[in-house]
Amino acid sequence: MIEIHVPDALVESQHLYAGEAGRAFVAGLPDLAARTLERWELTPVGGSMHGMAALVLPVERADGSPAVVKFQVLDEETEGEPVALRVWDGDGAVRLLDHDAATGTMLLERAGDGRELGRSAGTGRDAARKGVVVLAELLARLTAGPAPAGMRTLGDIAGQMLDDTPAALKEIADPGERALVARCADAVREVVGEPGDRMLHWDLHFDNVLAAEREPWLAIDPKPLAGDPGFDLWPGLNSLFDPDDVRWRFDAMTEVLGLERGRALAWTLGRVLQNVLWEVEDGRELPAEDLELARRLLGRAR
């Protein structure tokens, strides 16, 4: 049986953020990986990769073609990933080659050498802007069609955010920050009745776009939901964060995607609200970059 090493950083993140499910996942990962490689007739090639939530193994299939296997905890964020990848069918995203529904394990197209857009963008504002345009062009394709029935919805998520906001505001001591977060909630309240139905990626930042061979760039690692494409802009505004460039990025992305600016602004402020609520819930400091992003979009730069 092939032995699979589980990186310490992945173990730590799963224990910290995924609780009992994360501990069970990393404990069973070596056996799951070995069984998956045997079942799908895969040969590991090269070292494994990982983020905070997944282990990715480069492999070679029985026919000699390259691929990767992705192992991750099966939860409400990850269960929709194979659904989205099937819908996109390689149009702007890596292709799904096989899937084990019981464990959430996926066999995926290997996108070139795995070079991330963040590492390819270079340094400086001009380079970052080129990367933002790449993100926007991919999003325009990925969000072009409706999400299938049964996908979790932005409407449900936004409704829960608004329900959670009053208690969270009481935990924010700084009156300026409290007022800013309240304004984000007000913006969401204006659009929550029309949450949209497009297939969203939800997490398309620079490190979730890889250089590829059949296309220049392909998206990976979606956390899909049905909703308004404006909710997908925040990662592009936050990647390689530059507060003085927020307004340019927002204008460029809304133009490429053909979005109505008012709605796009409201849903982008919704992402700021979502991030704030997560930090408050976990007892951490408010996300300074997100608050500054909101100030810049609202014309309230310090």
Side-chain angles (χ1 to χ4, degrees):
M1 179 177 290
I2 300 173
E3 293 187 3
I4 302 298
H5 172 68
V6 182
D8 292 341
L10 178 60
V11 174
E12 292 173 4
S13 66
Q14 285 297 297
H15 284 195
L16 180 62
Y17 296 108
E20 184 58 37
R23 287 188 287 273
F25 168 69
V26 296
L29 192 49
D31 181 61
L32 173 61
R35 288 188 285 109
T36 300
L37 294 175
E38 181 178 2
R39 172 186 173 188
W40 286 340
E41 300 181 61
L42 306 172
T43 302
V45 289
S48 63
M49 300 168 284
H50 70 91
M52 293 180 61
L55 179 72
V56 177
L57 296 180
V59 296
E60 188 175 271
R61 305 176 77 184
D63 62 3
S65 60
V68 297
V69 187
K70 182 176 182 180
F71 305 93
Q72 59 191 355
V73 175
L74 186 59
D75 57 24
E76 65 176 1
E77 286 193 359
T78 61
E79 66 182 1
E81 183 170 354
V83 178
L85 293 177
R86 287 194 185 99
V87 169
W88 292 325
D89 192 25
D91 185 6
V94 295
R95 286 194 172 96
L96 178 69
L97 305 177
D98 211 334
H99 173 231
D100 178 26
T103 65
T105 303
M106 291 177 290
L107 183 64
L108 302 169
E109 171 187 10
R110 193 192 308 171
D113 61 3
R115 180 167 43 91
E116 299 162 347
L117 179 59
R119 287 191 291 150
S120 303
T123 59
R125 182 171 294 172
D126 288 344
R129 285 183 171 185
K130 290 179 181 178
V132 168
V133 172
V134 169
L135 291 180
E137 290 172 344
L138 283 175
L139 283 175
R141 296 164 63 186
L142 299 176
T143 63
M151 184 70 67
R152 63 180 181 148
T153 70
L154 177 56
D156 289 343
I157 291 173
Q160 186 62 55
M161 286 161 50
L162 293 177
D163 288 344
D164 294 341
T165 296
L169 289 175
K170 295 178 181 179
E171 301 296 322
I172 301 174
D174 182 274
E177 293 180 345
R178 187 166 59 248
L180 181 60
V181 174
R183 188 166 179 184
C184 290
D186 289 341
V188 173
R189 200 169 286 111
E190 293 179 1
V191 295
V192 69
E194 298 180 3
D197 68 349
R198 301 294 93 181
M199 175 74 85
L200 306 186
H201 183 287
W202 190 80
D203 197 28
L204 196 65
H205 51 73
F206 280 10
D207 292 342
N208 275 346
V209 176
L210 302 183
E213 295 178 359
R214 63 178 179 84
E215 291 197 26
W217 302 102
L218 291 173
I220 62 168
D221 200 23
K223 303 292 186 290
L225 67 155
D228 189 296
F231 199 64
D232 256 355
L233 300 185
W234 173 84
L237 302 176
N238 182 262
S239 292
L240 300 179
F241 184 64
D242 179 352
D244 293 330
D245 208 38
V246 166
R247 296 299 295 267
W248 183 93
R249 293 188 186 193
F250 179 79
D251 290 345
M253 295 186 78
T254 53
E255 181 177 352
V256 170
L257 274 82
L259 302 181
E260 195 279 312
R261 288 172 53 85
R263 288 182 58 82
L265 172 60
W267 283 121
T268 300
L269 295 176
R271 288 296 292 270
V272 173
L273 176 63
Q274 184 177 57
N275 293 340
V276 166
L277 292 174
W278 284 338
E279 299 305 289
V280 170
E281 180 182 5
D282 291 339
R284 295 192 291 263
E285 293 184 2
L286 299 190
E289 289 185 357
D290 282 333
L291 296 181
E292 184 61 21
L293 188 154
R295 292 187 189 99
R296 299 290 175 135
L297 289 178
L298 291 167
R300 296 171 57 192
R302 290 177 176 173

